[in-house]
Amino acid sequence: MSTEEITEAVNLLSAVESQTQDVTKLVDHLLKKATENEYNTSKGISFLELKYQLLLSYLMNLTYISLQKSQGSSIQDDPTIDRLIEIRTVLEKMRPIDKKLKYQVDKVVRTAASGGTDSSDPLRYRANPENLISKLDDESESESEGEEKKSKIYHPPKLTAMHYEGDETEMDKDQKVLERAKKRALSTSMLRELREEFSEGPTEIRETTSTQRSRAERKLRERTHYEEENFMRFSVSKKDKGKKGKKAKQIISKKFVYDYMKPIFVSNVAKSPD
Amino acid sequence: MSEGAATIRTRKFMTNRLLCRKQMIVDVLHPGKATIPKTEVREKLAKMYKTTPDVIFCFGFRTKFGGGKTSGFGLIYDSLDFAKKFEPKYRLQRHGLVEIKKTGRKQRKERKNRQKKVRGTKKAKVGAGKK
């Protein structure tokens, strides 16, 4: 070892000695104060302060244990372990409370970071209890006083939501009727067949099982198919004539098909004073 | 004459080489009007298929309930000779190409009853003479 290193070591050792003397003096001073009850602990310590003091002492005890283990000495029946367990359990018990306080703590931290709060900030600390009471409480109070004020108008019970039509002008209503008629006209059998003729997709044959008319429909379909295949017309007996009329009357209302087709060609409903 | 509101569409078109004709199903759309007569349909088909209307024979027009739509059949022959060869007599009569002589129903029934009284080849003789 060189002389420089020796002198350096001696200086460092003397520095360590002086610092340890200072530390012992400080600790004695603190101990005296604590024993003389100079620190007011009647209110207890705050939750957050307790939390970080516990964490600190946990760390200290943990470093002591790891020191012992690295030196090779046994840690069995060491009071440090009991201390560690105690601190650990207290921290675990504190965790749910901490979770409940998390929102407040975050808010405070945020305000501290951003500086100042806006009075119209929706995330202000307190809920407004006036917004929670029902405004209908006023009615119940007034009803008990004046029973003679019951109105004679019948109000039907409100069971389901209904479409509100009060804001529609007459023009809107006419247009709506026209649109509906257009839609209906576009789906008549005539136009459906036209569409089928010119569409490039394959023809669809739909099986509908209407139990009432299935037999009659099947018969009618067979008949028309035969007629078209063989280029001839069947003679319709009186019974069949009656049946055909009756069924057809069920399908089509008294309107002519022309009335169905008309809306397609009417573009705009212009209200002219007649 | 229609104002163009009547539309004719053809379906299931087929060229029948054996009978030298084209056959199809004719759909007539005439919303708000009565069924269109066959002569008009023939003329429209002639325009569509670029032939004369005299080789076109249409029949079997049935109007759907409620009006507005009629479907029938149409035949377009290659020539009038083929038409006279293959068409049934009653359809040719409708076009005025053939005259079917009808003796009248009453006459036919009376002839039949007279024939009932006679046996064998004499039936033919009975028919000729009218008492």
Side-chain angles (χ1 to χ4, degrees):
Chain A
M1 248 166 48
S2 61
T3 48
E4 293 170 0
E5 287 177 346
I6 290 166
T7 45
E8 225 182 287
V10 166
N11 288 335
L12 283 171
L13 282 170
S14 57
V16 167
E17 196 192 337
S18 62
Q19 280 176 359
T20 45
Q21 278 177 1
D22 290 335
V23 166
T24 44
K25 247 190 257 179
L26 187 63
V27 170
D28 285 336
H29 186 66
L30 280 174
L31 265 175
K32 206 170 49 166
K33 271 192 150 181
T35 50
E36 286 171 14
N37 289 333
E38 274 197 34
Y39 293 116
N40 192 1
T41 54
S42 61
K43 286 188 183 168
I45 56 175
S46 78
F47 180 78
L48 298 168
E49 179 137 4
L50 173 68
K51 194 172 168 194
Y52 75 74
Q53 289 286 359
L54 282 176
L55 285 168
L56 265 174
S57 50
Y58 191 83
L59 276 171
M60 284 193 287
N61 285 307
L62 207 59
T63 45
Y64 177 75
I65 293 278
S66 41
L67 176 71
Q68 292 288 83
K69 282 174 106 170
S70 58
Q71 281 179 345
S73 47
S74 132
I75 52 169
Q76 199 168 13
D77 298 330
D78 207 332
T80 323
I81 296 177
D82 295 332
R83 278 201 288 268
L84 274 174
I85 292 167
E86 193 185 332
I87 295 167
R88 189 63 187 275
T89 40
V90 175
L91 279 170
E92 292 279 306
K93 290 213 188 251
M94 282 168 70
R95 206 193 295 165
I97 308 170
D98 188 41
K99 200 168 170 198
K100 283 183 191 165
L101 286 175
K102 185 171 152 33
Y103 176 65
Q104 297 267 27
V105 167
D106 283 347
K107 248 202 303 200
V108 174
V109 166
R110 215 184 307 137
T111 52
S114 67
T117 53
D118 193 13
S119 64
S120 63
D121 189 11
L123 295 170
R124 282 199 74 192
Y125 306 142
R126 226 172 59 141
N128 191 4
E130 282 171 28
N131 288 341
L132 293 172
I133 56 166
S134 151
K135 298 282 194 303
L136 297 171
D137 285 342
D138 305 340
E139 287 183 9
S140 64
E141 287 167 26
S142 63
E143 246 186 51
S144 57
E145 294 171 35
E147 274 184 13
E148 295 154 10
K149 276 181 89 179
K150 214 193 286 183
S151 57
K152 301 265 169 72
I153 306 169
Y154 169 69
H155 294 289
K158 298 178 184 174
L159 298 170
T160 55
M162 296 299 294
H163 180 64
Y164 175 59
E165 288 176 349
D167 283 339
E168 281 180 12
T169 59
E170 211 171 305
M171 260 197 72
D172 283 339
K173 273 192 209 147
D174 288 337
Q175 265 190 346
K176 262 205 187 145
V177 166
L178 191 69
E179 270 174 36
R180 231 173 268 154
K182 236 190 239 190
K183 218 193 288 181
R184 224 185 303 139
L186 285 173
S187 69
T188 48
S189 54
M190 238 191 280
L191 290 174
R192 227 187 305 139
E193 280 178 24
L194 277 177
R195 229 178 285 140
E196 270 176 31
E197 201 185 316
F198 290 113
S199 72
E200 284 152 8
T203 52
E204 294 176 17
I205 304 172
R206 256 185 224 125
E207 292 279 333
T208 54
T209 51
S210 65
T211 49
Q212 279 181 343
R213 303 204 335 244
S214 58
R215 228 184 300 138
E217 256 187 13
R218 210 188 309 141
K219 217 171 163 191
L220 183 67
R221 222 185 313 141
E222 277 172 25
R223 200 173 275 195
T224 44
H225 183 73
Y226 187 91
E227 277 182 358
E228 291 186 349
E229 284 288 298
N230 298 25
F231 269 63
M232 46 90 76
R233 290 281 185 210
F234 283 117
S235 54
V236 194
S237 67
K238 257 192 233 174
K239 220 195 320 177
D240 289 336
K241 250 189 255 181
K243 273 194 200 153
K244 182 174 78 167
K246 205 198 318 178
K247 183 185 68 166
K249 273 179 205 159
Q250 283 170 10
I251 301 165
I252 301 175
S253 63
K254 294 211 177 107
K255 280 185 170 198
F256 277 104
V257 184
Y258 172 60
D259 284 334
Y260 280 137
M261 299 283 284
K262 191 171 159 199
I264 296 179
F265 304 110
V266 177
S267 53
N268 267 324
V269 180
K271 264 275 178 180
S272 64
D274 281 340
Chain B
M1 191 60 189
S2 63
E3 290 154 6
T7 327
I8 291 194
R9 312 204 149 268
T10 59
R11 272 190 300 139
K12 290 199 180 173
F13 182 87
M14 192 176 90
T15 312
N16 193 340
R17 283 281 110 227
L18 298 167
L19 295 173
C20 316
R21 71 185 184 199
K22 304 186 188 94
Q23 54 195 48
M24 69 209 75
I25 298 173
V26 178
D27 285 339
V28 185
L29 305 171
H30 49 94
K33 296 216 292 294
T35 310
I36 292 179
K38 288 196 283 272
T39 46
E40 280 187 35
V41 174
R42 274 173 66 203
E43 279 163 31
K44 294 213 169 162
L45 277 175
K47 233 187 292 173
M48 274 170 71
Y49 287 90
K50 300 181 191 68
T51 55
T52 53
D54 55 347
V55 292
I56 300 179
F57 292 81
C58 11
F59 58 97
F61 282 95
R62 294 285 157 92
T63 311
K64 271 227 168 82
F65 193 90
K69 185 170 175 197
T70 309
S71 0
F73 308 111
L75 311 167
I76 304 176
Y77 282 89
D78 292 347
S79 82
L80 202 55
D81 295 330
F82 286 125
K84 284 192 191 158
K85 205 162 137 193
F86 294 122
E87 275 290 285
K89 297 286 182 292
Y90 69 91
R91 269 191 232 148
L92 292 170
Q93 195 210 13
R94 283 181 193 173
H95 285 210
L97 300 167
V98 147
E99 280 285 324
I100 301 177
K101 244 178 275 179
K102 273 235 175 96
T103 45
R105 195 158 178 245
K106 214 49 194 163
Q107 266 71 6
R108 277 182 273 142
K109 287 192 188 281
E110 282 174 4
R111 183 169 188 253
K112 176 203 65 160
N113 289 333
R114 269 178 268 129
Q115 279 179 335
K116 278 199 285 191
K117 291 181 198 159
V118 187
R119 193 84 172 75
T121 48
K122 295 197 190 100
K123 284 196 201 270
K125 281 198 207 132
V126 167
K130 203 171 63 174
K131 275 196 194 151

